Amino acid sequence: MIGTIPKPFEEIMAAVDGYDALAVVGCDGCAKVCNTGGSDQVAELAEKFKENGKTVALAVTPERTCYVGKTETVLKPHADDLKKADAVVVLGCGGAVQIARQVIESMDITVPVKTGLDSVGHMDTLVMGELALEQCQECGECILNETGGICPVTKCAKGLLNGPCGGAENGKCEVDPERDCAWVLIYERMAALGELDKLRRFMAPKDYSKISKHRKLYISERRVA
Ligand code: SF4
Ligand code: SF4
């Protein structure tokens, strides 16, 4: 899940300063799970805008705003409402904001698209009062098959592929003693699976061209039938 947290309302208001009529676009995917951009949060923000002197031309919540097809399905029937908006505020991850902008541009509507959220990564949960942990940095060359399903790229402070570094103490990371050493976790997991021998092999450096920006994906075949 792409984790998102709300921007302070004052920051959102500053972003829409000078724009009177606003459209609010949420996301019924990750942002809904995070309680940051589902239909409830869209309605709340729309209400807050009105209380602060704005008008709301549109308030909608596509199923997955990061996905072009789902966003088009919801926004295209609302072209007239979007044309009335001076700015659009998206309650979704950075990807959702950009897809919403792209879809609106494709409708020949020129309007600024702003974000109401901060995206914080691929998290396991985002529950108030609970610690959320990043799970994956989408490196494009997954090594979880070799590491017992625990990602050292994300969870080792140094991103070591052939850990541990030697600095762990009592199972905790030398960089941050509050968190578990990823390589101790990997070792324990592999031991539980009876696969410790697999850790003896050297893991080759990753192909960093796969994470060079801007990443593109061309799907030419299905690998699994
Ligand atoms: S190795 Fe780690 S960062 Fe790379 S795809 Fe797998 S889980 Fe994600
Ligand atoms: S102590 Fe463990 S998690 Fe921390 S940097 Fe070293 S190998 Fe990585």
Side-chain angles (χ1 to χ4, degrees):
M1 175 187 74
I2 304 299
T4 46
I5 51 178
K7 283 185 177 294
F9 184 63
E10 301 70 40
E11 189 181 330
I12 300 173
M13 283 300 281
V16 296
D17 188 33
Y19 305 121
D20 292 327
L22 303 174
V24 185
V25 177
C27 171
D28 244 344
C30 301
K32 179 184 181 181
V33 178
C34 294
N35 286 322
T36 53
S39 48
D40 287 352
Q41 290 77 41
V42 166
E44 276 167 29
L45 184 62
E47 203 48 46
K48 237 170 157 182
F49 279 147
K50 287 182 203 165
E51 287 166 9
N52 284 270
K54 307 286 188 187
T55 57
V56 175
L58 177 68
V60 287
T61 312
E63 191 184 327
R64 299 279 185 282
T65 309
C66 61
Y67 188 72
V68 174
K70 301 276 185 193
T71 302
E72 280 178 344
T73 304
V74 171
L75 292 189
K76 287 203 164 169
H78 287 291
D80 289 342
D81 297 317
L82 283 166
K83 283 176 188 162
K84 290 179 198 152
D86 301 315
V88 178
V89 177
V90 179
L91 294 182
C93 67
V97 177
Q98 294 179 71
I99 293 302
R101 175 196 52 73
Q102 183 181 316
V103 168
I104 293 167
E105 276 182 24
S106 76
M107 295 161 66
D108 280 332
I109 299 171
T110 304
V111 64
V113 176
K114 310 286 187 179
T115 180
L117 305 180
D118 289 319
S119 298
V120 294
H122 200 134
M123 311 303 283
D124 52 356
T125 181
L126 269 187
V127 177
M128 201 71 81
E130 281 184 22
L131 188 66
L133 294 175
E134 188 181 21
Q135 299 297 315
C136 171
Q137 295 188 353
E138 289 106 9
C139 71
E141 198 181 50
C142 194
I143 57 169
L144 287 175
N145 290 346
E146 277 71 51
T147 56
I150 297 167
C151 174
V153 177
T154 308
K155 295 182 176 173
C156 166
K158 298 170 188 170
L160 297 180
L161 299 185
N162 296 284
C165 65
E169 210 166 311
N170 298 322
K172 299 294 181 186
C173 174
E174 71 165 351
V175 176
D176 176 5
E178 293 292 311
R179 70 184 192 195
D180 295 327
C181 166
W183 276 101
V184 170
L185 294 179
I186 291 169
Y187 180 90
E188 287 173 348
R189 179 69 181 154
M190 296 298 266
L193 294 170
E195 296 183 353
L196 275 180
D197 53 312
K198 293 188 179 169
L199 287 181
R200 291 184 186 282
R201 76 177 184 80
F202 175 74
M203 191 113 53
K206 296 181 78 62
D207 177 359
Y208 285 98
S209 71
K210 291 186 176 164
I211 48 175
S212 69
K213 305 219 172 36
H214 166 206
R215 284 190 278 189
K216 295 173 187 165
L217 178 65
Y218 176 68
I219 300 171
S220 58
E221 60 173 321
R222 276 190 179 275
R223 291 192 185 158
V224 181

